[in-house]
Amino acid sequence: MSTPKPEIEKSWGLALENEFRTDYFMILKSFLLEERNNHQIYPPGPEIFNAFNFTPFDQVKVVILGQDPYHGKGQAHGLSFSVPQETKPPPSLQNIFKEIENDLGIPPPKHGNLEHWAKQGVLLLNATLTVRANQAGSHQGKGWEQFTNQAIRKLSEERFGIVFLLWGKFAQDKEELIDTGRHYILKAPHPSPFSANRGFFGCRHFSKTNKILKKIGRQEIDWSLGNSSKPREL
């Protein structure tokens, strides 16, 4: 039985079409095929491009950058910081929910599936889109970073008024890809338990994001979590 191939939403496919023909992407594909033949890889193939599939290029209003997919069984499903409905929210996500409660008074949800945000225009993008099971960072430096950097550049160059939430040094290093004359950047420490107390708690990024969106005439984000459903048709 063959493994289902990942597919990417049409508008993103057009925005990134040149990347799929590059040498680095061909090498990345070969690496992933070999990895899949010898190891358990997360997320499942059809979910690799979920960040793009839930949030089309022309609908992105907010970008939340992560680094790697979760590497535990049943955790990664293609959206940064998010986990499937039945999976317990990891510590960083629990801290995100705590800050939302402190900022907006929204009680923490009983699940950690962030699809509701993604469908409102929050691009939940990891820099690296796959990982070997139980081996954090195992797919870094294989080509994904070039691909996702180009996604950020495309948004920076072709869109206007996107709010980028850069949490932690890794995400903040991506600022050089963003035209700060066209977009908004909010920075804070990472929500990890190791750094959340250094300024993530109290950053109020969720209310600040909505104030920016309102100011530029866009629909604010409902940061509570509605019911999960499948992504839009590709």
Side-chain angles (χ1 to χ4, degrees):
M1 185 176 176
S2 62
T3 303
K5 293 182 179 179
E7 294 185 37
I8 194 166
E9 188 271 336
K10 290 177 181 176
S11 64
W12 276 110
L14 287 172
L16 298 171
E17 61 181 342
N18 292 334
E19 300 306 299
F20 294 107
R21 296 193 287 267
T22 60
D23 289 342
Y24 86 79
F25 201 85
M26 295 298 123
I27 294 169
L28 173 61
K29 282 178 68 175
S30 296
F31 166 75
L32 291 174
L33 285 171
E34 185 175 349
E35 280 285 282
R36 233 175 244 293
N37 286 334
N38 295 289
H39 305 281
Q40 179 69 52
I41 303 301
Y42 300 135
E47 297 179 354
I48 288 173
F49 291 129
N50 261 359
F52 304 106
N53 296 341
F54 275 101
T55 314
F57 183 80
D58 61 353
Q59 294 180 27
V60 176
K61 296 189 290 188
V62 181
V63 177
I64 298 179
L65 291 174
Q67 187 166 357
D68 257 11
Y70 297 119
H71 55 84
K73 183 177 180 180
Q75 291 184 309
H77 68 140
L79 303 175
S80 64
F81 294 101
S82 181
V83 291
Q85 199 92 2
E86 65 280 1
T87 300
K88 181 182 176 181
S92 290
L93 184 53
Q94 291 181 35
N95 285 340
I96 290 170
F97 292 153
K98 287 178 185 176
E99 176 57 22
I100 290 173
E101 182 172 29
N102 292 335
D103 188 9
L104 297 170
I106 298 170
K110 291 182 170 60
H111 65 88
N113 189 325
L114 306 183
E115 292 173 11
H116 180 61
W117 297 358
K119 288 184 284 186
Q120 296 177 78
V122 181
L123 181 67
L124 297 164
L125 182 64
N126 280 316
T128 303
L129 299 186
T130 56
V131 69
R132 189 187 294 180
N134 305 315
Q135 295 190 35
S138 50
H139 288 187
Q140 291 178 8
K142 304 297 184 182
W144 277 131
E145 293 91 341
Q146 288 172 260
F147 183 80
T148 53
N149 280 354
Q150 186 61 15
I152 295 168
R153 285 193 195 96
K154 280 283 185 177
L155 287 171
S156 176
E157 294 166 2
E158 299 182 18
R159 295 288 315 283
F160 185 83
I162 294 173
V163 184
F164 288 84
L165 304 184
L166 306 183
W167 298 334
K169 184 181 185 303
F170 179 86
Q172 289 163 18
D173 285 345
K174 304 291 184 181
E175 184 173 359
E176 65 183 22
L177 306 172
I178 303 163
D179 183 346
T180 55
R182 295 169 60 90
H183 302 283
Y184 302 87
I185 292 178
L186 298 177
K187 293 188 280 189
H190 195 276
S192 159
F194 299 107
S195 54
N197 284 314
R198 298 179 197 155
F200 178 78
F201 290 139
C203 71
R204 301 184 65 86
H205 277 188
F206 305 96
S207 61
K208 288 177 180 177
T209 294
N210 279 349
K211 286 177 183 175
I212 291 169
L213 294 174
K214 187 175 182 179
K215 181 177 72 173
I216 62 177
R218 292 188 180 163
Q219 183 71 36
E220 298 168 63
I221 304 299
D222 171 15
W223 294 107
S224 68
L225 294 181
N227 292 325
S228 168
S229 63
K230 294 180 180 179
R232 66 191 75 245
E233 293 296 321
L234 299 177

mmCIF file of all heavy atoms in Angstrom, residues 195-223:
data_model
loop_
_atom_site.group_PDB
_atom_site.id
_atom_site.type_symbol
_atom_site.label_atom_id
_atom_site.label_comp_id
_atom_site.label_asym_id
_atom_site.label_seq_id
_atom_site.Cartn_x
_atom_site.Cartn_y
_atom_site.Cartn_z
ATOM 1 N N SER A 195 11.052 29.659 29.254
ATOM 2 C CA SER A 195 11.207 31.085 28.957
ATOM 3 C C SER A 195 9.934 31.908 29.097
ATOM 4 O O SER A 195 9.987 33.133 29.033
ATOM 5 C CB SER A 195 11.753 31.258 27.532
ATOM 6 O OG SER A 195 10.950 30.576 26.588
ATOM 7 N N ALA A 196 8.793 31.268 29.301
ATOM 8 C CA ALA A 196 7.522 32.005 29.328
ATOM 9 C C ALA A 196 7.502 33.100 30.385
ATOM 10 O O ALA A 196 6.918 34.175 30.177
ATOM 11 C CB ALA A 196 6.354 31.046 29.544
ATOM 12 N N ASN A 197 8.167 32.850 31.519
ATOM 13 C CA ASN A 197 8.168 33.834 32.605
ATOM 14 C C ASN A 197 9.089 35.021 32.345
ATOM 15 O O ASN A 197 9.122 35.959 33.131
ATOM 16 C CB ASN A 197 8.566 33.155 33.925
ATOM 17 C CG ASN A 197 7.427 32.319 34.493
ATOM 18 O OD1 ASN A 197 6.290 32.763 34.539
ATOM 19 N ND2 ASN A 197 7.738 31.092 34.902
ATOM 20 N N ARG A 198 9.830 34.966 31.250
ATOM 21 C CA ARG A 198 10.753 36.059 30.926
ATOM 22 C C ARG A 198 10.109 37.131 30.058
ATOM 23 O O ARG A 198 10.801 37.998 29.541
ATOM 24 C CB ARG A 198 11.994 35.513 30.221
ATOM 25 C CG ARG A 198 12.799 34.545 31.068
ATOM 26 C CD ARG A 198 13.994 34.031 30.289
ATOM 27 N NE ARG A 198 14.559 32.834 30.906
ATOM 28 C CZ ARG A 198 15.264 31.918 30.242
ATOM 29 N NH1 ARG A 198 15.475 32.066 28.953
ATOM 30 N NH2 ARG A 198 15.743 30.873 30.877
ATOM 31 N N GLY A 199 8.804 37.044 29.858
ATOM 32 C CA GLY A 199 8.145 38.090 29.093
ATOM 33 C C GLY A 199 7.075 37.615 28.127
ATOM 34 O O GLY A 199 6.351 38.430 27.551
ATOM 35 N N PHE A 200 6.946 36.285 27.952
ATOM 36 C CA PHE A 200 5.796 35.837 27.152
ATOM 37 C C PHE A 200 4.511 36.104 27.922
ATOM 38 O O PHE A 200 3.563 36.676 27.380
ATOM 39 C CB PHE A 200 5.901 34.361 26.784
ATOM 40 C CG PHE A 200 4.701 33.884 26.008
ATOM 41 C CD1 PHE A 200 4.573 34.172 24.655
ATOM 42 C CD2 PHE A 200 3.661 33.203 26.641
ATOM 43 C CE1 PHE A 200 3.438 33.779 23.940
ATOM 44 C CE2 PHE A 200 2.536 32.807 25.933
ATOM 45 C CZ PHE A 200 2.416 33.096 24.583
ATOM 46 N N PHE A 201 4.507 35.693 29.205
ATOM 47 C CA PHE A 201 3.350 36.042 30.032
ATOM 48 C C PHE A 201 3.314 37.554 30.201
ATOM 49 O O PHE A 201 4.286 38.176 30.627
ATOM 50 C CB PHE A 201 3.439 35.363 31.400
ATOM 51 C CG PHE A 201 3.251 33.871 31.365
ATOM 52 C CD1 PHE A 201 4.047 33.039 32.136
ATOM 53 C CD2 PHE A 201 2.282 33.285 30.561
ATOM 54 C CE1 PHE A 201 3.884 31.662 32.119
ATOM 55 C CE2 PHE A 201 2.103 31.916 30.530
ATOM 56 C CZ PHE A 201 2.905 31.097 31.305
ATOM 57 N N GLY A 202 2.207 38.126 29.841
ATOM 58 C CA GLY A 202 2.060 39.570 29.904
ATOM 59 C C GLY A 202 2.320 40.290 28.604
ATOM 60 O O GLY A 202 2.172 41.519 28.529
ATOM 61 N N CYS A 203 2.689 39.556 27.535
ATOM 62 C CA CYS A 203 2.975 40.221 26.255
ATOM 63 C C CYS A 203 1.705 40.764 25.587
ATOM 64 O O CYS A 203 1.780 41.692 24.784
ATOM 65 C CB CYS A 203 3.710 39.282 25.310
ATOM 66 S SG CYS A 203 2.726 37.916 24.634
ATOM 67 N N ARG A 204 0.561 40.170 25.904
ATOM 68 C CA ARG A 204 -0.741 40.615 25.380
ATOM 69 C C ARG A 204 -0.780 40.646 23.848
ATOM 70 O O ARG A 204 -1.437 41.499 23.240
ATOM 71 C CB ARG A 204 -1.114 41.987 25.960
ATOM 72 C CG ARG A 204 -1.198 42.012 27.476
ATOM 73 C CD ARG A 204 -1.658 43.353 28.015
ATOM 74 N NE ARG A 204 -3.036 43.656 27.612
ATOM 75 C CZ ARG A 204 -4.111 43.259 28.280
ATOM 76 N NH1 ARG A 204 -3.978 42.544 29.384
ATOM 77 N NH2 ARG A 204 -5.312 43.580 27.846
ATOM 78 N N HIS A 205 -0.114 39.699 23.231
ATOM 79 C CA HIS A 205 -0.058 39.688 21.769
ATOM 80 C C HIS A 205 -1.417 39.443 21.118
ATOM 81 O O HIS A 205 -1.641 39.847 19.973
ATOM 82 C CB HIS A 205 0.927 38.622 21.288
ATOM 83 C CG HIS A 205 2.346 39.093 21.290
ATOM 84 N ND1 HIS A 205 3.382 38.363 20.751
ATOM 85 C CD2 HIS A 205 2.906 40.247 21.750
ATOM 86 C CE1 HIS A 205 4.518 39.036 20.889
ATOM 87 N NE2 HIS A 205 4.251 40.166 21.506
ATOM 88 N N PHE A 206 -2.310 38.796 21.825
ATOM 89 C CA PHE A 206 -3.582 38.420 21.213
ATOM 90 C C PHE A 206 -4.518 39.624 21.121
ATOM 91 O O PHE A 206 -5.134 39.870 20.075
ATOM 92 C CB PHE A 206 -4.188 37.252 21.990
ATOM 93 C CG PHE A 206 -3.218 36.101 22.069
ATOM 94 C CD1 PHE A 206 -2.398 35.935 23.185
ATOM 95 C CD2 PHE A 206 -3.068 35.233 21.009
ATOM 96 C CE1 PHE A 206 -1.456 34.918 23.250
ATOM 97 C CE2 PHE A 206 -2.130 34.205 21.057
ATOM 98 C CZ PHE A 206 -1.322 34.053 22.172
ATOM 99 N N SER A 207 -4.578 40.415 22.182
ATOM 100 C CA SER A 207 -5.374 41.646 22.106
ATOM 101 C C SER A 207 -4.688 42.675 21.209
ATOM 102 O O SER A 207 -5.355 43.400 20.459
ATOM 103 C CB SER A 207 -5.596 42.235 23.501
ATOM 104 O OG SER A 207 -4.369 42.578 24.128
ATOM 105 N N LYS A 208 -3.362 42.725 21.238
ATOM 106 C CA LYS A 208 -2.635 43.670 20.376
ATOM 107 C C LYS A 208 -2.850 43.343 18.901
ATOM 108 O O LYS A 208 -3.028 44.246 18.068
ATOM 109 C CB LYS A 208 -1.138 43.642 20.707
ATOM 110 C CG LYS A 208 -0.792 44.293 22.032
ATOM 111 C CD LYS A 208 0.704 44.167 22.335
ATOM 112 C CE LYS A 208 1.059 44.816 23.673
ATOM 113 N NZ LYS A 208 2.496 44.631 24.010
ATOM 114 N N THR A 209 -2.838 42.051 18.577
ATOM 115 C CA THR A 209 -3.106 41.635 17.203
ATOM 116 C C THR A 209 -4.485 42.095 16.754
ATOM 117 O O THR A 209 -4.651 42.644 15.655
ATOM 118 C CB THR A 209 -2.994 40.104 17.078
ATOM 119 O OG1 THR A 209 -1.639 39.720 17.312
ATOM 120 C CG2 THR A 209 -3.423 39.625 15.700
ATOM 121 N N ASN A 210 -5.483 41.891 17.610
ATOM 122 C CA ASN A 210 -6.837 42.286 17.237
ATOM 123 C C ASN A 210 -6.984 43.801 17.105
ATOM 124 O O ASN A 210 -7.732 44.292 16.245
ATOM 125 C CB ASN A 210 -7.846 41.722 18.239
ATOM 126 C CG ASN A 210 -8.186 40.266 17.942
ATOM 127 O OD1 ASN A 210 -7.828 39.744 16.884
ATOM 128 N ND2 ASN A 210 -8.874 39.623 18.862
ATOM 129 N N LYS A 211 -6.270 44.547 17.917
ATOM 130 C CA LYS A 211 -6.307 46.005 17.781
ATOM 131 C C LYS A 211 -5.728 46.446 16.444
ATOM 132 O O LYS A 211 -6.258 47.356 15.785
ATOM 133 C CB LYS A 211 -5.544 46.664 18.933
ATOM 134 C CG LYS A 211 -6.284 46.626 20.258
ATOM 135 C CD LYS A 211 -5.444 47.222 21.394
ATOM 136 C CE LYS A 211 -6.172 47.120 22.722
ATOM 137 N NZ LYS A 211 -5.328 47.589 23.859
ATOM 138 N N ILE A 212 -4.645 45.800 16.023
ATOM 139 C CA ILE A 212 -4.047 46.121 14.720
ATOM 140 C C ILE A 212 -5.015 45.768 13.596
ATOM 141 O O ILE A 212 -5.232 46.565 12.673
ATOM 142 C CB ILE A 212 -2.712 45.366 14.548
ATOM 143 C CG1 ILE A 212 -1.655 45.921 15.504
ATOM 144 C CG2 ILE A 212 -2.221 45.470 13.099
ATOM 145 C CD1 ILE A 212 -0.397 45.067 15.597
ATOM 146 N N LEU A 213 -5.585 44.567 13.656
ATOM 147 C CA LEU A 213 -6.512 44.142 12.606
ATOM 148 C C LEU A 213 -7.715 45.087 12.514
ATOM 149 O O LEU A 213 -8.140 45.466 11.415
ATOM 150 C CB LEU A 213 -6.976 42.705 12.851
ATOM 151 C CG LEU A 213 -5.898 41.622 12.740
ATOM 152 C CD1 LEU A 213 -6.467 40.261 13.143
ATOM 153 C CD2 LEU A 213 -5.327 41.552 11.329
ATOM 154 N N LYS A 214 -8.235 45.478 13.666
ATOM 155 C CA LYS A 214 -9.374 46.400 13.676
ATOM 156 C C LYS A 214 -8.990 47.742 13.073
ATOM 157 O O LYS A 214 -9.742 48.337 12.291
ATOM 158 C CB LYS A 214 -9.878 46.583 15.109
ATOM 159 C CG LYS A 214 -11.168 47.402 15.212
ATOM 160 C CD LYS A 214 -11.669 47.423 16.649
ATOM 161 C CE LYS A 214 -12.976 48.199 16.747
ATOM 162 N NZ LYS A 214 -13.485 48.209 18.147
ATOM 163 N N LYS A 215 -7.782 48.215 13.409
ATOM 164 C CA LYS A 215 -7.307 49.513 12.924
ATOM 165 C C LYS A 215 -7.214 49.532 11.399
ATOM 166 O O LYS A 215 -7.488 50.558 10.767
ATOM 167 C CB LYS A 215 -5.935 49.821 13.532
ATOM 168 C CG LYS A 215 -5.351 51.161 13.125
ATOM 169 C CD LYS A 215 -4.023 51.440 13.811
ATOM 170 C CE LYS A 215 -2.921 50.559 13.256
ATOM 171 N NZ LYS A 215 -1.584 50.926 13.797
ATOM 172 N N ILE A 216 -6.817 48.407 10.799
ATOM 173 C CA ILE A 216 -6.657 48.378 9.345
ATOM 174 C C ILE A 216 -7.887 47.810 8.638
ATOM 175 O O ILE A 216 -7.858 47.529 7.438
ATOM 176 C CB ILE A 216 -5.388 47.603 8.938
ATOM 177 C CG1 ILE A 216 -5.453 46.134 9.388
ATOM 178 C CG2 ILE A 216 -4.148 48.281 9.502
ATOM 179 C CD1 ILE A 216 -4.239 45.305 8.942
ATOM 180 N N GLY A 217 -8.983 47.653 9.395
ATOM 181 C CA GLY A 217 -10.262 47.289 8.779
ATOM 182 C C GLY A 217 -10.441 45.818 8.500
ATOM 183 O O GLY A 217 -11.238 45.451 7.626
ATOM 184 N N ARG A 218 -9.749 44.964 9.244
ATOM 185 C CA ARG A 218 -9.893 43.528 9.047
ATOM 186 C C ARG A 218 -10.613 42.893 10.226
ATOM 187 O O ARG A 218 -10.584 43.403 11.333
ATOM 188 C CB ARG A 218 -8.520 42.869 8.856
ATOM 189 C CG ARG A 218 -7.864 43.278 7.553
ATOM 190 C CD ARG A 218 -6.627 42.496 7.264
ATOM 191 N NE ARG A 218 -6.052 42.958 5.998
ATOM 192 C CZ ARG A 218 -4.816 42.717 5.618
ATOM 193 N NH1 ARG A 218 -4.003 42.031 6.408
ATOM 194 N NH2 ARG A 218 -4.371 43.159 4.463
ATOM 195 N N GLN A 219 -11.237 41.754 9.955
ATOM 196 C CA GLN A 219 -11.952 41.024 10.999
ATOM 197 C C GLN A 219 -10.983 40.549 12.070
ATOM 198 O O GLN A 219 -9.927 39.988 11.773
ATOM 199 C CB GLN A 219 -12.660 39.815 10.391
ATOM 200 C CG GLN A 219 -13.505 39.002 11.363
ATOM 201 C CD GLN A 219 -14.766 39.734 11.796
ATOM 202 O OE1 GLN A 219 -15.376 40.443 11.010
ATOM 203 N NE2 GLN A 219 -15.152 39.549 13.056
ATOM 204 N N GLU A 220 -11.326 40.796 13.329
ATOM 205 C CA GLU A 220 -10.486 40.339 14.432
ATOM 206 C C GLU A 220 -10.532 38.819 14.557
ATOM 207 O O GLU A 220 -11.480 38.178 14.098
ATOM 208 C CB GLU A 220 -10.946 40.996 15.731
ATOM 209 C CG GLU A 220 -10.831 42.523 15.721
ATOM 210 C CD GLU A 220 -11.548 43.169 16.892
ATOM 211 O OE1 GLU A 220 -11.142 42.906 18.030
ATOM 212 O OE2 GLU A 220 -12.513 43.920 16.651
ATOM 213 N N ILE A 221 -9.503 38.255 15.189
ATOM 214 C CA ILE A 221 -9.429 36.805 15.387
ATOM 215 C C ILE A 221 -10.206 36.420 16.642
ATOM 216 O O ILE A 221 -10.068 37.047 17.689
ATOM 217 C CB ILE A 221 -7.965 36.342 15.536
ATOM 218 C CG1 ILE A 221 -7.129 36.777 14.314
ATOM 219 C CG2 ILE A 221 -7.897 34.827 15.741
ATOM 220 C CD1 ILE A 221 -7.597 36.212 13.004
ATOM 221 N N ASP A 222 -11.025 35.388 16.525
ATOM 222 C CA ASP A 222 -11.658 34.779 17.694
ATOM 223 C C ASP A 222 -10.666 33.761 18.252
ATOM 224 O O ASP A 222 -10.486 32.683 17.682
ATOM 225 C CB ASP A 222 -12.965 34.102 17.270
ATOM 226 C CG ASP A 222 -13.578 33.258 18.385
ATOM 227 O OD1 ASP A 222 -13.166 33.423 19.563
ATOM 228 O OD2 ASP A 222 -14.445 32.424 18.071
ATOM 229 N N TRP A 223 -9.996 34.125 19.349
ATOM 230 C CA TRP A 223 -8.937 33.286 19.895
ATOM 231 C C TRP A 223 -9.464 32.121 20.725
ATOM 232 O O TRP A 223 -8.678 31.297 21.205
ATOM 233 C CB TRP A 223 -7.969 34.127 20.720
ATOM 234 C CG TRP A 223 -7.197 35.128 19.909
ATOM 235 C CD1 TRP A 223 -7.366 36.480 19.891
ATOM 236 C CD2 TRP A 223 -6.132 34.862 18.989
ATOM 237 N NE1 TRP A 223 -6.481 37.076 19.025
ATOM 238 C CE2 TRP A 223 -5.700 36.102 18.457
ATOM 239 C CE3 TRP A 223 -5.490 33.688 18.561
ATOM 240 C CZ2 TRP A 223 -4.674 36.201 17.521
ATOM 241 C CZ3 TRP A 223 -4.465 33.790 17.634
ATOM 242 C CH2 TRP A 223 -4.061 35.037 17.128
#
